[in-house]
Amino acid sequence: MAKMPARTVLALRLKELRQAMGVSQAELGVRMGLPEDVASTRVNRYEKGVHAPDIETPEALPGSL
């Protein structure tokens, strides 16, 4: 089985966590400390693997990846 890139694993786990919490991308972003006006877009890009968060961002998640 091929190994998935870390960005892909993070994207999948982030989406799973958010859905398990029953919150929107915007709400998760705000809970992570992102500015409200960009929270939804940033979480969306993380979940799609377009961008990878800096190392401090996953540490702010209300749960574990």
Side-chain angles (χ1 to χ4, degrees):
M1 176 152 69
K3 184 176 176 181
M4 282 195 286
R7 183 181 289 194
T8 302
V9 173
L10 176 66
L12 292 171
R13 290 186 179 172
L14 178 62
K15 186 172 184 176
E16 289 173 0
L17 172 66
R18 180 183 61 77
Q19 290 175 335
M21 293 172 60
V23 298
S24 67
Q25 291 175 337
E27 185 175 346
L28 179 61
V30 169
R31 288 184 185 190
M32 290 167 49
L34 298 172
E36 194 170 322
D37 60 328
V38 300
S40 179
T41 301
R42 297 253 309 261
V43 171
N44 179 275
R45 290 180 180 166
Y46 295 155
E47 286 185 3
K48 290 186 179 289
V50 174
H51 294 288
D54 58 26
I55 194 69
E56 289 82 20
T57 301
E59 292 174 351
L61 289 171
S64 63
L65 293 176

